[in-house]
Amino acid sequence: MKLKKLYKKTKAMASSAFASSSSVLGGQHVLTQKPTKASTSSGSSPDPQDPPHDSSEGTKQDSLEEWVDCGAGDDNDDEESPSTSQVNVDVRMEELLSLIGVGPLVREQFLSLSHHKTEKTQGGYTNSHGVRVWCTTYNVNGKIPTDEESAELSDWLLSGGDVDLYALGFQEVVPLTASNVLIASDAGANLAEWEARVDMALNGTTRQEADALVQNGATYSDLNLKGKGRRYLPVCAKSLVGVYLTIWVRTELLGAVHSKEDVSVSCGVMRLLGNKGGVGVRLRVWDTYISFLCVHLSSGETEQDKLRRHWDLGHIFSKSLIAQQPDASGQMAGHLNVLDSDYCFLLGDLNYRLECEEDRIHDAIRDGSYATMLAHDQLGKGMASGEILQGWSEGEITFPPTFKYVVGTSQYVGAPQQNNNDDGDGDDGSPDAAEPQKRRLPAWCDRVLWKAKKPVKLFGYSDVAGVKLSDHKPVFAGFHVDFHEYDEKALDAAINMARRMADLREMEMRPQLDLPEQFFDFGDVEFGAKKVMRVRMANVGTSPAHWHLSVAGDKPDWLEVAPVQGKVGKGEEGEIELTVQVDGGIGGDASTLSPDGKLDTILVMSIAGSGDKFISITGQYAFSCFGLTPDQICDRRPQSQGRREALEGLYATRPAAASVEGGVGEEAALVRVELEVGGKGEGVRCVLSPRPAEETSAASSSHSAAAVAAAPDSQGLVPIVPVELQNLVTHIRRSPGGLGSPGLFISACYPDPGTITAARSAMDSDEPLPAAITAVDASLVLLMFLTSMPEPLLPKQVADVCSLCVPDSLASLDLLRNSMTKTSYATFLYLMKFFRDSLKKENRRTNGLSVEVLSATLASVFLTYEIASAGPMSKEGTLGYNDIINRRSDFVRGFLENVL
């Protein structure tokens, strides 16, 4: 396939404005604007006299003495070239090679050609553009600047000088109240206000001009069209509750910005709430990928809080998936992460603290001996030990801690009063300055870090002390990076040359790759448990062996393989890691397995020039009710009267808790759901009726399983809810404290893995849950069980209706009855009866629940469907987005407040 067609598609967004300005943004980029004076501390401030960047060799040599090289790259001055498997290849090149179907051998020849003949090959198909990138982060504490404070923002945002690309990260754009986190109160006004302030600061526009752009439902396309006369325009933005990331570029650079992807990851309770988390954006500028990740991690000063921040970072990094890498010729493809880029920047309120006494911290701040405190910085210590952020870099910190200040001042909370002429003495009369402040130790919470495959030159890293809107100070870092652009004709010629060289080499070598073991039995595999085995291989031939893996048939979701292709040199060994994990959730694989639980697949290892080898993978999945829908649970383990009676008998031997609520007989949780049709005036009503105490056998009961199965549809009898779920609910009701337990459903203390495993095992084996499992832990296991289903319990039709309105009670019942299976319908009504009991007055006095919080939590569990939104300035707007969230919550609330 010719590259010409491919490049015509990838360059469709290039404009004539870009063509006319490429020399300004390319090798001849020169600083012409002097930065506005900013009130900075003693950090590394940008120098307006920084040397111009030129792509020519001479200019690079002249600038090396003044620039600080912070990145990594190949040293082309070495006489001996490294192995081509170690040559760094940018992400876009890997993408192009995969798209056009370049195999491993051709790829090696192409990389070898690019390394040995840089001036004649890579230099021939690559144009370099020097770009100044300015990253900044600010925790605004839920505040919006006044008109008088806008001057401080201009000093802050313009302190980078002549910048080409701005990445502005904010935290707590809205106050992190329960309504904002759970019920998604409108944040659009705050986001639009900040966008307007940014426009005014970067472009010198008036308030009226800024409002005309960011309000009235203007899209980014509208902004670009209306942007005549503006130096900077936004290209994308992403928000998650209070975390907000917005990217602005110089107007002349718009034509070079191509694909844009974004992602958000929540780190709140049950990984569902967005009070903490991160948002990411990935751009392709010319043929270089650049990513920005803005995060707000967990707060706190204890060791457990630090470990939670470590976990937050790992969770955000691993879940920032935006697509799948394209695969060539049926080869297996890995996941594409937002950080799969040539340049990656991490900014935000990382909340890492100082492990030092308060008096020593304040003394060090007064003396300006920051190095003393940095030895106790949790983030620095974690990076130095390799515990977190391996491969990431940070500039030298020469500015004071950025947290925690008295709002409106430059005075730390709890610091001894300074008898100096500091303009931030708290006497400015602002109401915020007089507000009581939580006592926290000063710390460098706000940071900017980077990870790059190519050299990065840092030209400033500091705080901005003059901005006093929040209890944090803004932090910025400026970088000079090289973006490259490929010449399609020259690149096509280089690849064709590599193909001819590969053909010649293929004739010379016949690799021999030996696999001592080709059958891998993983044995019993439990839900959520990860099992790893390794395929070992040895090259016993006389030439390197290039291999890649594919699957005989469809790739199973329960299997992960890494790597999927590679090279084993002569006399060398290698290994492949096989990971088997059956998990649940939306799109989970537990529901796709066959009823017998057999795990079976075959990997085909294709060795270039040497045929194929086959790797057999088997295992046996142990049944679990987790990861399945109610119907699938009943199909795989049929419900029977005997199972229910046996479980009831086991619980009867355990004394019931004194505080169990819900009425006589309900603690057994053996409840059927009937639909009773009354007169025309009464309509349809749902009755949750407990099993009569005198009912002792299936034959003697009109509500037995046989009677339910034999009853005609006209009588409205539906199947019983899964016994596994009844077991869990029964345990919650009978545990000490029962439905009145403080923190029920909303506790932030996550159950330990042992507790979760014990609860799941008891549910799967029809055994009572261990008495040591509290009602609170069991309630969180219940939420985990519901979120593990492969699809939300309530159907998509409910989410579609809630996008328009909230139906009344009878209409809601009709909607559910007509769109759900009988088992799922019965399960939902059964659960709502249980949740209603938890909201009884006598229970609410101790468990801390409210109908608002519970309905919002359950809506995020029962209706986890995506809501299309283009950001705060879209025509749909976040107001419409939040309306839908609130309507979903109101739909669930109707079942909590009304006994239908």
Side-chain angles (χ1 to χ4, degrees), residues 98 156 274 748 759 770:
S98 179
W156 161 37

Side-chain angles (χ1 to χ4, degrees), residues 206-275:
T206 65
R207 180 53 190 256
Q208 292 73 20
E209 291 172 333
D211 288 343
L213 287 178
V214 301
Q215 295 182 2
N216 303 319
T219 65
Y220 283 118
S221 298
D222 296 331
L223 288 175
N224 295 344
L225 292 175
K226 297 174 183 177
K228 295 181 179 180
R230 277 179 165 77
R231 297 187 65 218
Y232 298 97
L233 288 175
V235 292
C236 59
K238 187 66 176 178
S239 64
L240 173 70
V241 187
V243 183
Y244 187 52
L245 176 63
T246 178
I247 309 297
W248 292 63
V249 301
R250 188 187 297 275
T251 305
E252 297 88 347
L253 193 63
L254 283 175
V257 179
H258 297 274
S259 60
K260 294 170 281 190
E261 296 111 350
D262 58 58
V263 67
S264 62
V265 180
S266 300
C267 293
V269 178
M270 301 300 296
R271 304 181 188 176
L272 297 172
L273 303 184
N275 55 312

Side-chain angles (χ1 to χ4, degrees), residues 62-84:
D62 293 340
S63 62
L64 283 177
E65 294 180 356
E66 300 184 55
W67 288 105
V68 180
D69 191 349
C70 306
D74 296 329
D75 187 358
N76 291 328
D77 294 333
D78 290 345
E79 295 182 0
E80 296 184 3
S81 63
S83 169
T84 54

Side-chain angles (χ1 to χ4, degrees), residues 25-88:
L25 293 167
Q28 299 300 321
H29 182 81
V30 180
L31 295 179
T32 56
Q33 175 188 353
K34 292 185 178 180
T36 305
K37 291 183 178 179
S39 178
T40 60
S41 299
S42 57
S44 301
S45 304
D47 185 356
Q49 302 301 323
D50 283 336
H53 179 71
D54 193 290
S55 59
S56 64
E57 185 67 18
T59 306
K60 286 184 178 179
Q61 294 294 335
D62 293 340
S63 62
L64 283 177
E65 294 180 356
E66 300 184 55
W67 288 105
V68 180
D69 191 349
C70 306
D74 296 329
D75 187 358
N76 291 328
D77 294 333
D78 290 345
E79 295 182 0
E80 296 184 3
S81 63
S83 169
T84 54
S85 63
Q86 300 174 349
V87 175
N88 286 333

